[in-house]
Amino acid sequence: MLYSTIGVRGETVRRERLEQLLTGDDETSVAALAALRASASYVVWDGTTPAESLARIYGRRLRHTLRKGIETSGLEQAVERVNRYGGPVRLGQIRSTDGSWIFMLFLDQDGGTQVACTGVRQTQPGPPPSEA
């Protein structure tokens, strides 16, 4: 389920607050911010995950996307940043309105600071096979 607000430090935060978290000058944060401002759906999940676990999981995803030729944005940097961060990480997701990109946000435990951001282009299903 996607939410229009997220809880941070015990208070409800609107889309505008999430936009503030995406003020980084890296290409991925800029693209995620543009998607959010273009009415993308988003969610920030409750709870946290250890940074080491996420670094391992997203490291595998990086290798998978490289093998399969899937377009990503900032995935390698996100793995490095999450690994260096070391603390509990809260996850969020932004899905572009056309569904072509999904951005994953890695936030600190309170959801008040961005640790990293990555994006993965979603493959669109091809046309159905023609019948003979």
Side-chain angles (χ1 to χ4, degrees):
M1 175 176 218
L2 298 175
Y3 301 95
S4 61
T5 59
I6 58 175
V8 176
R9 296 189 185 111
E11 60 189 62
T12 300
V13 177
R14 304 209 179 280
R15 181 180 293 268
E16 294 78 26
R17 177 64 180 126
L18 189 54
E19 289 178 3
Q20 291 172 351
L21 294 175
L22 290 167
T23 57
D25 60 356
D26 62 287
E27 180 181 322
T28 309
S29 293
V30 170
L33 178 59
L36 193 61
R37 288 182 172 163
S39 300
S41 59
Y42 68 93
V43 62
V44 174
W45 290 282
D46 288 334
T48 61
T49 303
E52 311 80 50
S53 295
L54 289 173
R56 230 180 359 264
I57 290 165
Y58 281 85
R60 284 193 300 265
R61 289 182 182 180
L62 173 61
R63 290 186 296 278
H64 172 78
T65 58
L66 289 172
R67 273 194 317 272
K68 298 290 186 177
I70 299 168
E71 185 178 358
T72 65
S73 179
L75 183 52
E76 185 174 356
Q77 294 84 358
V79 171
E80 292 170 6
R81 288 180 183 155
V82 169
N83 195 41
R84 275 196 317 265
Y85 178 69
V89 176
R90 191 168 175 189
L91 288 174
Q93 182 185 84
I94 298 171
R95 181 182 301 268
S96 64
T97 55
D98 67 0
S100 62
W101 282 88
I102 292 181
F103 298 95
M104 292 302 297
L105 307 176
F106 302 86
L107 306 173
D108 69 355
Q109 182 172 350
D110 294 331
T113 303
Q114 178 186 321
V115 173
C117 180
T118 185
V120 178
R121 180 176 294 281
Q122 301 302 294
T123 56
Q124 300 299 322
S130 60
E131 294 182 23

